[in-house]
Amino acid sequence: MWPILHDVITEQRTFAYDPGMSEHDAKRTWLVAAPARVVVAADADRVLGTANMYANRPGPGSHVASGSLVVAEHARGTGVGRALTTDMISWARGNGFAAIQFNAVVDTNRAAVDLYESLGFGTLGTAPGAFRHPVLGDVGLRIMWLDLRPPTRGTG
């Protein structure tokens, strides 16, 4: 997983992680402990992507899931991100979470925004200029939300 995380972190286009982050620190951040979960997408022995998923906040916020995912550059556009995201949605539903909240989706990361929207996520808001993109300068960070609760039926 480290080569993929390292590439994404040092690209500085989609993750607000320190580009000088060590492998040890990246693993400590990424490899969340149970009951949270970490998965990889692989083709034989080649890792194509990875995702982690967990409660977004402790205590009163623990009914909302969150997570992150990264896809190797050579595997982008092949459905790996979709597979990881749909797995996260299934995990969150299966564990009784009411919703999934992505706290910091870079506004210019069209692949991620389009994928999440195609799976039912909406943007709650965008923090303007909250992400320093290496080419585009300061761009927004979206908070994206997927409600997992069954629709409520009207009475009457």
Side-chain angles (χ1 to χ4, degrees), residues 59 62-63 66 70 81 93 108-109 126 132 139 150-151:
S62 64
H63 64 295
S66 191
V70 294
R93 275 197 176 109
T108 57
N109 185 356
T126 302
R132 188 153 290 152
V139 300

Side-chain angles (χ1 to χ4, degrees), residues 13 21 51-52 54 98 107 109 112 114 142:
R13 294 172 185 262
M21 181 181 269
N52 62 20
Y54 44 85
D107 197 39
N109 185 356
D114 291 347
R142 292 174 182 234

Side-chain angles (χ1 to χ4, degrees), residues 6-28:
H6 181 261
D7 288 350
V8 169
I9 292 167
T10 58
E11 282 175 348
Q12 299 179 59
R13 294 172 185 262
T14 58
F15 266 76
Y17 285 7
D18 179 356
M21 181 181 269
S22 70
E23 179 177 1
H24 173 76
D25 288 341
K27 285 181 178 178
R28 194 174 63 219

Side-chain angles (χ1 to χ4, degrees), residues 8-91:
V8 169
I9 292 167
T10 58
E11 282 175 348
Q12 299 179 59
R13 294 172 185 262
T14 58
F15 266 76
Y17 285 7
D18 179 356
M21 181 181 269
S22 70
E23 179 177 1
H24 173 76
D25 288 341
K27 285 181 178 178
R28 194 174 63 219
T29 299
W30 195 262
L31 299 175
V32 292
R37 182 170 179 240
V38 178
V39 297
V40 296
D43 181 16
D45 62 348
R46 190 173 188 191
V47 175
L48 305 175
T50 180
N52 62 20
M53 49 206 85
Y54 44 85
N56 191 42
R57 297 284 180 252
S62 64
H63 64 295
V64 175
S66 191
S68 300
L69 60 107
V70 294
V71 177
E73 186 174 7
H74 69 274
R76 293 176 190 162
T78 65
V80 173
R82 180 170 294 277
L84 290 168
T85 308
T86 56
D87 178 73
M88 183 184 299
I89 293 167
S90 294
W91 172 83

